[in-house]
Amino acid sequence: AADTIKIGYVDPLSGGAASIGQIGLNQMNFIADAVNKKGGINGEQIEVIGYDNQINPQTSLVQVQKAIDEGVRIIVQGNGSSVGAAIEGFVEKYNRRNPDAHIVYLNYAAIDPAMTNESCSYWHFSFDANTNVKMEALTNFIKQREEIKKVYLIDQDYSFGHAVAESAVSMLKEKRPDIEIVGNEFHPLVKITDFSPYIAKIKASGADTVITGNWGQDFSLLIKAAGQSGLDVNWYTYYAGAAGGPTAIKQANMDGRVFQINEGISNLGYAPAENTAREYGAVYKDAPVLFPRIFNAMTMLFMAIEAAGSQDPAVFIPKLESMDYASFSAGGESFMRKDDHQLFQPLYISAFGPLANDQSFDEEHTGWGWTKVGEISAKDTVIPTTCEMKRPS
Amino acid sequence: MFEILFISTINGILYGMLLFLMASGLTVIFSMMGVLNLAHASFYMLGAFFGFEISQHFGFWSGLVFAPLLVASIGMIVERYGLRNVHRHGHVAELLFTFGLTFVIQEIVEMVWGKLPVDYRVPASLDFSAFTVFATTYPAFKMFALLVSVVIFLALLLVIRRTRIGLIVQAALSHPDMVGMLGHNVDRIFMLVFGVGVALAAVAGVIAGPVLVTQSNMAGLLGPILFVVVVVGGLGSLGGAFVASLLIGLVQTYAVAFNVSLADVFGSSPLTGEFALYFNDLWNVTVAQIAPIMPYMLLVLILIFRPRGLMGTSNR
Amino acid sequence: MTVSPNSVPALELSGLEKSFGPMKIIRGIDLDIPSGERHAVIGPNGAGKSTLFHLISGHYRPSGGTVKLHGDDITGLQPELIARRGLSRSFQVTNIFPQLSVWENVRCATLWAMGYKYSFWRNVESLTDARERTEQILTEINMLDRWNMPAGVLAYAEQRALEIGLAIASNADTILLDEPMAGMSHGETEHMVGLIRQVSENRTLLMIEHDMSVVFDLADRISVLVYGEVIASDTPERIKANPAVQQAYLGTEVV
Amino acid sequence: MNQKIDTRIPALPSGRRSSFLARYGIWIVVAIVLAGLPYVFSSGLALSTMCMMGTMIIFALSYNMLLGQTGLLSFGHAVFFGLGGFLTAWAMNAVVGTDSPLPLFLFPIIGGFTGLVFGVIFGAVSTRRSGTAFAMITLGIAELVSSSALILRHFFGGEEGITVDRTDMIHLFGLSFGPQIQVYYLIAVWCLISATAMYALTCTPFGRICNAVRDNAERVRFIGYNTQTVRFMAFSLSGLFAGIGGGLAAINFEIMNSAQMGVGESGAVILMTYIGGIGNFAGPIIGAVVVTYLQLMLSDITDVWQLYFGLLFIGMVMYAPNGLAGLLALQQPLLQTRQLHRVAPYYALALAPGLVAITGLSMVIEMTYQLSVKTAAGPAMEFFGVTFNANVPLPWIIAVVLFAAGVWLFLRAARLAGHVYSEAVTWRKMP
Amino acid sequence: MLDVRDLHAYYGKSHILQGVNMRVGNNEIVSILGRNGVGRSTTLKAIMGNPSPRGDIEFRQKPIAGRKPHDIARLGIGYVPEERAIFPMLTVEQNLLLGIKSGQKDARWSLDETWRLFPQLLERANAPGGALSGGEQQMLTICRTLMGNPDLIMIDEPTEGLAPQMVERIGELLQEVARRGISILLVEQRLAIAMRISHRVYVMGHGQMVFEGTPDELMANTDVRREWLEV
Ligand SMILES: Nc1ncnc2c1ncn2[C@@H]1O[C@H](COP(=O)(O)OP(=O)(O)OP(=O)(O)O)[C@@H](O)[C@H]1O
Ligand SMILES: Nc1ncnc2c1ncn2[C@@H]1O[C@H](COP(=O)(O)OP(=O)(O)OP(=O)(O)O)[C@@H](O)[C@H]1O
Ligand SMILES: CC(C)C[C@H](N)C(=O)O
Ligand SMILES: [Mg+2]
Ligand SMILES: [Mg+2]
């Protein structure tokens, strides 16, 4: 196994969340193919192996164990902070018990801040801005919008959703004490089929703005229900752009009312990213959604392995944990913070609506796309961490 | 307050009728054949995807007609070459058969339509708002769904009352051979019933598809709630299923509307110390948060105190 | 009545009634069965004989009246409680354990009475007394050669015999047999009569039967149930001669 | 009855206590096999797989106490497995840092006790009914418990669940239980204990009465038993063993989350038990081993593993309703009369075209998949080491021919094997 | 009407019918006698197609072996099973209605007729079939089959569990049925009644017919009776 770098991608490949999981795997394969065509990393080929965790923490551990038994040393996961936390704990334990065969966990989307704070680990890297970081940026944006008076929070009832709500409450209070939070709702994760009762509540509360961390169908169904009952508010979201979201927004006909904060969109006019997006879209015609976070994670991993000249996590982590990097979406300045292994990168706030003439990327063949409405540079997103990292001596 | 009550009532009715639309076929199959069709939601999904595909080419209305027909024929094939042979091995075997079927249908749907949601839209002819109350608009399409539910309910009532099919199937549950020897083609009737049952699921799929998300996981999402409807209503009772759908729709909708927890009623928790942490989860939980589990509470309570369900006749 | 005043009757029915909805099926039955008597209940189809058994054995709850077993009130008790007091019964419609072997069928019926109850710490195979009793019952009902067949695949008549086996296995001192001879051939019937005579020795037997030769052969006393009421209760000879009975039940085909 | 001239009375079950070896021999053999397995399958993957199988064997066996022995179809058995696991995990976390002398291998007892307690509680509610009503109550309870677990997030840890570190317990005999092999033996011992206990239970008066209740509950009342009590006891006891399984799972995975109490997990145990065969004590064991293996491994071989999984189950339910154990049990008379060698070649004869048919079918599935889902990868694909293009007719023709011919030959061979089988079986009766 | 030649039938491996030959003419009452377990019931079941028979069965000159039970029933054969097979959940009336075949025209037997002959059933018309007494079930099952307007009715042990007086009623009923032009194939344990109403009798032993003749001939043939009927 010395001549291949095995990367275990542990994410849902069947069941409810498979749509997002599959997109991630597609992108991993796409990246690996590109690298392999150029001769690989340090002459070694990249092999991406998908492991289906059915978005269940316990199954994830079984799959990680399986991956390790099959010679994988690098675990990549993103979907779900509950899963992420379980893997983080497992990796920590595993490395402690197997001091001569380390594994590393590259997290591209599980962004519960706990993962890089109280339960941070030397063997874990977070490539997406965590909930607090994103909320910091988002509230900075909201701060300038005078028309926002009443905010409603609706989130999924699990660690990530609670993290979103908590940070929203505290940061809004600090930055815009005049804003009234008229609702702070949690609903079960992927169990609700009919969101109209929630919409009725939002409407009754008189909110003008909703902030939500919902993703997947919890987002699509929410936005559709809102559209159907004519709820007249603006939406600030974390994941409106993920699989299914754009279709739903288009169906709800919410032109320019849905905002998203993330690490990048296709319509930033940055040629390298646009080319990659086109190539990718040509291969994966059915699901051309692109997650820059995955490109960031992989590129940085490869850079670290190249620099360290080894695919052994123990050897390349020192390179990775203090790396400076130009982010995928627009080449913006980014850096990995050594204290908690959190990547800081430029974040973008964008709005969804019909494409302008100079924009070339629509989403999910809807004819609508993302337009940048705000940008926060990496250094403006830095917030302190409580991480007390245990480093191997 | 009145506003939210009023809106909740309408929402509850609309949701309840959608539930009934989905559950009606299950009631038919469950009550008549005694088969707990775990694949019912899968046929519902097939209906949605067929509806989507047909509407792409021939418009929504052809989808509404042909998707159920297509699903019915698939259902009848499944019954003829699968379920029928399993029947004699008992209910558990039938149940597992349909369980296996859910995997197969799910994978086939993913093969054909992928894992991403498809863009299945409300037809233009129904894409307007029917009426507005308290600034909440109600789309015409939802009214249409309501109408279809009621029509199906009435039609099924009529068919079951007026024909002997119900009798024959019920008789066949205890002595299938004897029914045959009285000159009834039990096999064909079972096939028909199953076909009709899954066709109803497909109708629900065609209609719910545009309202909800048409995606390869939509079957799993529907989950056991349909069984709750059928059982709470009472096995073998269509009227029961109808009432139970409404009841569950309303209960869930109202529950979401109430943000009260024990803490709101009695003040903050009386306990302190380490144990309080765990206890307070209970103390602080709002009615809204437990809305999704209310149907199951209802199910357990009903079965304990009235095992034959709201309107069921037998407690098989 | 021939009850000796000093002994408590094995079964004592007084004012027993049963209705299903508006329909009165049992209309006030008073009947004493002294200990050790072989008593037959006859009557037209639908008269309520099986219902009477269901009332005594706890299958149905009486709408009125009382049932006493050896002087104890057992009215409306659950069947298992009545069974534990030493009353066992057979059913008109064969009612056995179809997937269990003949051997297990009978052994299960012996267990409670032998005191093993819900025991989950003892191995059944090591219960010598239960095994011996089972073997004895199977010998008596002439089914030893079928011991390891699943009861459900037995021929109809064999299932009937097993039904009786289940009823007598527990060694109860009051036995209710509902049409034990139904479906049996002549030869089998003869054998069964012998068996019933033997097992009911020193026990109380209450039996429903339409085969008059059996009834007159076995019974010490006969009650005639018509339309939910006992119209006569007497010795076989007197019953045979009773014109009302002849008219209501026996018809001309008296054997 | 008067014409059973032909049959001689088969030997009655003897009351003589059989020798020690005859009674316990099988368990000793099982123990030796369990002890030796890690030497045969020594890879890390094999070890973790066997650990999972061990917990699932206990779980499935406990489920069969309900379904197979007592005729109770429960949709909520995972509740006991899960609660057992949670309480075990809590107990472990509670003693960490204290100098409690409780060694790790005793913790499954806590799981078992939890399972028993909740078995008693939920059993009191659900076993008042039987049949469909019972099944639906268990479904409701399962949903209630698993959803409530998400609400009581401090106790159950929300979606994420709670984690433990099994190496934090006191190290008795130098066992840290860090290495998987030590966990394997822990599970193996508990598996053996539980299986023996559950087997012993089937051979008790209570076990037999459970069977009677399954067959004809009404009749049982007239031989003195309270059917509700019987159901209740069976339910509670099966909760006990499921709890032990859950405790072991907590130790093995070092994480418990609410999904493990859900309807999905209960469905899985129904599958295992049924596929293995509910009519036979060994059935659930076989089922647990096979289904666990497939769940883990099938996804490596093919992306559409769920399709094969579904087809397999459908096939099993249709053609082998008595499960794998049922198929094996059919061979027993052959073994007894030493006739297996006569039939075995015919099995092989049927197996060959059967495999051909399966190859053809999976080729069709894989090619469809290649063309419809893996469009990005292009039409070039590999199947059994052969590389070809899926968008030309030839492989399709080959696949269909393989499938059709395979099925046709299989059916013929199977019929032949059936004949030979029945001849071999009846041959025994002749002399 | 019915012509059976060399009929074989199996339950799994056991060969129950080993070449049965028999026939039933128009308007005829024919009985099959024999000891328990010789295969009398199986003969009737095999004619109905379950267990599937081997051999020739002709009904009104049409071969019916190999057809499905419901087909055979529609051709005009009615069957009353030994275990009665009342549908326990359905009411008495529904049980009777199920006897009517779909698309059936005028029948020789109607609901009213049943009520007239057995007022007891009318009283119970809305009670569940499972609640009926044994005797009532027997009446119900015969009437149910008659509702389907068969040309030939095969009845298995109709008098089992009936009170003597009811046995006579059944005997009369059967004769009445025959008078309406319905042939009857009867399996009966009670010699007396079979002998009285039958035109011809068969005696069965070990899966074959061992005697055929009129009741009088059977009475005369003590050998057959001793060997095969244990009388
Ligand atoms: N659960 C019930 N509901 C309604 N009617 C009932 C019920 N059980 C019994 N009956 C009626 O009560 C009457 C008496 O029935 P029972 O079975 O006691 O008669 P029987 O004397 O045993 O007759 P047979 O000799 O035919 O067995 C019957 O007419 C029957 O229809
Ligand atoms: N389903 C079955 N499976 C296996 N064997 C059966 C089955 N049904 C009947 N048999 C056997 O077939 C033989 C003939 O049965 P059949 O019922 O035809 O006898 P019969 O002459 O009607 O006797 P009876 O008086 O008992 O009704 C019996 O030995 C019986 O054990
Ligand atoms: C993939 C993402 C939607 C996951 C989500 N950010 C979480 O932390 O749970
Ligand atoms: Mg009776
Ligand atoms: Mg018979």
Side-chain angles (χ1 to χ4, degrees), chain C residues 2 33 46-47 62 78 90 125 149 164 172 201-202 217 235:
Chain C
T2 51
I33 320 268
Q78 294 299 313
S90 77
E125 304 301 342
M149 299 262 290
I164 294 170
E201 208 65 59
N202 299 322
D217 195 5
T235 58

PDB file of all heavy atoms in Angstrom, chain C residues 2 33 46-47 62 78 90 125 149 164 172 201-202 217 235:
ATOM      1  N   THR C   2     -80.990 -36.628  43.544  1.00  0.00           N
ATOM      2  CA  THR C   2     -80.448 -37.704  44.373  1.00  0.00           C
ATOM      3  C   THR C   2     -79.206 -37.287  45.131  1.00  0.00           C
ATOM      4  O   THR C   2     -78.377 -38.092  45.489  1.00  0.00           O
ATOM      5  CB  THR C   2     -80.104 -38.920  43.503  1.00  0.00           C
ATOM      6  OG1 THR C   2     -79.300 -38.458  42.437  1.00  0.00           O
ATOM      7  CG2 THR C   2     -81.350 -39.598  42.985  1.00  0.00           C
ATOM      8  N   ILE C  33     -74.320 -31.206  40.380  1.00  0.00           N
ATOM      9  CA  ILE C  33     -73.679 -32.452  39.962  1.00  0.00           C
ATOM     10  C   ILE C  33     -72.903 -32.970  41.174  1.00  0.00           C
ATOM     11  O   ILE C  33     -71.892 -32.366  41.560  1.00  0.00           O
ATOM     12  CB  ILE C  33     -72.685 -32.241  38.802  1.00  0.00           C
ATOM     13  CG1 ILE C  33     -73.226 -31.242  37.790  1.00  0.00           C
ATOM     14  CG2 ILE C  33     -72.279 -33.568  38.212  1.00  0.00           C
ATOM     15  CD1 ILE C  33     -73.982 -31.779  36.673  1.00  0.00           C
ATOM     16  N   GLY C  46     -77.878 -25.928  19.228  1.00  0.00           N
ATOM     17  CA  GLY C  46     -78.136 -24.526  19.516  1.00  0.00           C
ATOM     18  C   GLY C  46     -78.891 -24.310  20.810  1.00  0.00           C
ATOM     19  O   GLY C  46     -79.281 -23.197  21.115  1.00  0.00           O
ATOM     20  N   ALA C  47     -79.049 -25.368  21.603  1.00  0.00           N
ATOM     21  CA  ALA C  47     -79.793 -25.216  22.848  1.00  0.00           C
ATOM     22  C   ALA C  47     -78.986 -24.444  23.874  1.00  0.00           C
ATOM     23  O   ALA C  47     -79.550 -23.860  24.797  1.00  0.00           O
ATOM     24  CB  ALA C  47     -80.141 -26.588  23.400  1.00  0.00           C
ATOM     25  N   PRO C  62     -70.761 -15.277  32.995  1.00  0.00           N
ATOM     26  CA  PRO C  62     -72.228 -15.367  33.069  1.00  0.00           C
ATOM     27  C   PRO C  62     -72.851 -13.975  33.176  1.00  0.00           C
ATOM     28  O   PRO C  62     -72.256 -13.066  33.741  1.00  0.00           O
ATOM     29  CB  PRO C  62     -72.475 -16.151  34.359  1.00  0.00           C
ATOM     30  CG  PRO C  62     -71.190 -16.815  34.683  1.00  0.00           C
ATOM     31  CD  PRO C  62     -70.110 -15.972  34.098  1.00  0.00           C
ATOM     32  N   GLN C  78     -61.287 -16.213  35.718  1.00  0.00           N
ATOM     33  CA  GLN C  78     -60.559 -16.480  34.477  1.00  0.00           C
ATOM     34  C   GLN C  78     -60.385 -17.991  34.310  1.00  0.00           C
ATOM     35  O   GLN C  78     -60.255 -18.719  35.301  1.00  0.00           O
ATOM     36  CB  GLN C  78     -59.183 -15.811  34.527  1.00  0.00           C
ATOM     37  CG  GLN C  78     -59.238 -14.299  34.542  1.00  0.00           C
ATOM     38  CD  GLN C  78     -59.898 -13.751  33.292  1.00  0.00           C
ATOM     39  OE1 GLN C  78     -59.581 -14.158  32.193  1.00  0.00           O
ATOM     40  NE2 GLN C  78     -60.848 -12.845  33.483  1.00  0.00           N
ATOM     41  N   SER C  90     -62.677 -30.296  27.385  1.00  0.00           N
ATOM     42  CA  SER C  90     -62.319 -30.415  25.967  1.00  0.00           C
ATOM     43  C   SER C  90     -63.264 -29.522  25.179  1.00  0.00           C
ATOM     44  O   SER C  90     -64.245 -29.023  25.712  1.00  0.00           O
ATOM     45  CB  SER C  90     -62.460 -31.856  25.509  1.00  0.00           C
ATOM     46  OG  SER C  90     -63.822 -32.161  25.312  1.00  0.00           O
ATOM     47  N   GLU C 125     -37.211 -32.224  30.181  1.00  0.00           N
ATOM     48  CA  GLU C 125     -36.938 -33.624  29.865  1.00  0.00           C
ATOM     49  C   GLU C 125     -36.597 -34.411  31.130  1.00  0.00           C
ATOM     50  O   GLU C 125     -36.684 -35.628  31.156  1.00  0.00           O
ATOM     51  CB  GLU C 125     -35.784 -33.740  28.873  1.00  0.00           C
ATOM     52  CG  GLU C 125     -35.985 -32.971  27.583  1.00  0.00           C
ATOM     53  CD  GLU C 125     -37.235 -33.400  26.815  1.00  0.00           C
ATOM     54  OE1 GLU C 125     -37.757 -34.505  27.077  1.00  0.00           O
ATOM     55  OE2 GLU C 125     -37.691 -32.619  25.964  1.00  0.00           O
ATOM     56  N   MET C 149     -45.369 -36.758  15.998  1.00  0.00           N
ATOM     57  CA  MET C 149     -45.966 -36.040  14.862  1.00  0.00           C
ATOM     58  C   MET C 149     -46.459 -34.670  15.311  1.00  0.00           C
ATOM     59  O   MET C 149     -47.000 -34.535  16.407  1.00  0.00           O
ATOM     60  CB  MET C 149     -47.190 -36.811  14.347  1.00  0.00           C
ATOM     61  CG  MET C 149     -46.899 -38.186  13.850  1.00  0.00           C
ATOM     62  SD  MET C 149     -46.743 -38.181  12.084  1.00  0.00           S
ATOM     63  CE  MET C 149     -48.424 -37.876  11.585  1.00  0.00           C
ATOM     64  N   ILE C 164     -59.236 -35.047  23.673  1.00  0.00           N
ATOM     65  CA  ILE C 164     -59.641 -35.679  24.927  1.00  0.00           C
ATOM     66  C   ILE C 164     -58.414 -35.909  25.810  1.00  0.00           C
ATOM     67  O   ILE C 164     -58.447 -35.701  27.024  1.00  0.00           O
ATOM     68  CB  ILE C 164     -60.383 -36.994  24.640  1.00  0.00           C
ATOM     69  CG1 ILE C 164     -61.686 -36.652  23.930  1.00  0.00           C
ATOM     70  CG2 ILE C 164     -60.651 -37.759  25.921  1.00  0.00           C
ATOM     71  CD1 ILE C 164     -62.402 -37.831  23.370  1.00  0.00           C
ATOM     72  N   ALA C 172     -57.433 -33.636  36.433  1.00  0.00           N
ATOM     73  CA  ALA C 172     -58.395 -32.823  37.156  1.00  0.00           C
ATOM     74  C   ALA C 172     -59.502 -33.706  37.733  1.00  0.00           C
ATOM     75  O   ALA C 172     -59.792 -34.764  37.181  1.00  0.00           O
ATOM     76  CB  ALA C 172     -59.009 -31.793  36.215  1.00  0.00           C
ATOM     77  N   GLU C 201     -63.507 -42.574  36.657  1.00  0.00           N
ATOM     78  CA  GLU C 201     -63.651 -43.316  37.911  1.00  0.00           C
ATOM     79  C   GLU C 201     -63.265 -42.395  39.066  1.00  0.00           C
ATOM     80  O   GLU C 201     -62.183 -41.768  39.025  1.00  0.00           O
ATOM     81  CB  GLU C 201     -62.694 -44.524  37.871  1.00  0.00           C
ATOM     82  CG  GLU C 201     -63.148 -45.708  38.694  1.00  0.00           C
ATOM     83  CD  GLU C 201     -64.431 -46.314  38.142  1.00  0.00           C
ATOM     84  OE1 GLU C 201     -64.438 -46.745  36.960  1.00  0.00           O
ATOM     85  OE2 GLU C 201     -65.416 -46.333  38.879  1.00  0.00           O
ATOM     86  N   ASN C 202     -64.125 -42.273  40.036  1.00  0.00           N
ATOM     87  CA  ASN C 202     -63.859 -41.411  41.195  1.00  0.00           C
ATOM     88  C   ASN C 202     -63.705 -39.943  40.844  1.00  0.00           C
ATOM     89  O   ASN C 202     -63.072 -39.183  41.557  1.00  0.00           O
ATOM     90  CB  ASN C 202     -62.597 -41.851  41.939  1.00  0.00           C
ATOM     91  CG  ASN C 202     -62.745 -43.249  42.457  1.00  0.00           C
ATOM     92  OD1 ASN C 202     -63.833 -43.638  42.901  1.00  0.00           O
ATOM     93  ND2 ASN C 202     -61.687 -44.021  42.361  1.00  0.00           N
ATOM     94  N   ASP C 217     -75.013 -45.288  27.676  1.00  0.00           N
ATOM     95  CA  ASP C 217     -74.024 -46.241  28.149  1.00  0.00           C
ATOM     96  C   ASP C 217     -73.253 -45.681  29.352  1.00  0.00           C
ATOM     97  O   ASP C 217     -73.019 -46.359  30.342  1.00  0.00           O
ATOM     98  CB  ASP C 217     -73.050 -46.512  26.984  1.00  0.00           C
ATOM     99  CG  ASP C 217     -72.233 -47.737  27.243  1.00  0.00           C
ATOM    100  OD1 ASP C 217     -72.505 -48.402  28.253  1.00  0.00           O
ATOM    101  OD2 ASP C 217     -71.333 -48.023  26.433  1.00  0.00           O
ATOM    102  N   THR C 235     -82.357 -40.021  35.574  1.00  0.00           N
ATOM    103  CA  THR C 235     -81.591 -41.201  35.168  1.00  0.00           C
ATOM    104  C   THR C 235     -81.872 -41.491  33.704  1.00  0.00           C
ATOM    105  O   THR C 235     -82.917 -41.096  33.168  1.00  0.00           O
ATOM    106  CB  THR C 235     -82.008 -42.423  35.992  1.00  0.00           C
ATOM    107  OG1 THR C 235     -83.413 -42.613  35.788  1.00  0.00           O
ATOM    108  CG2 THR C 235     -81.733 -42.218  37.459  1.00  0.00           C
TER     109      THR C 235
END
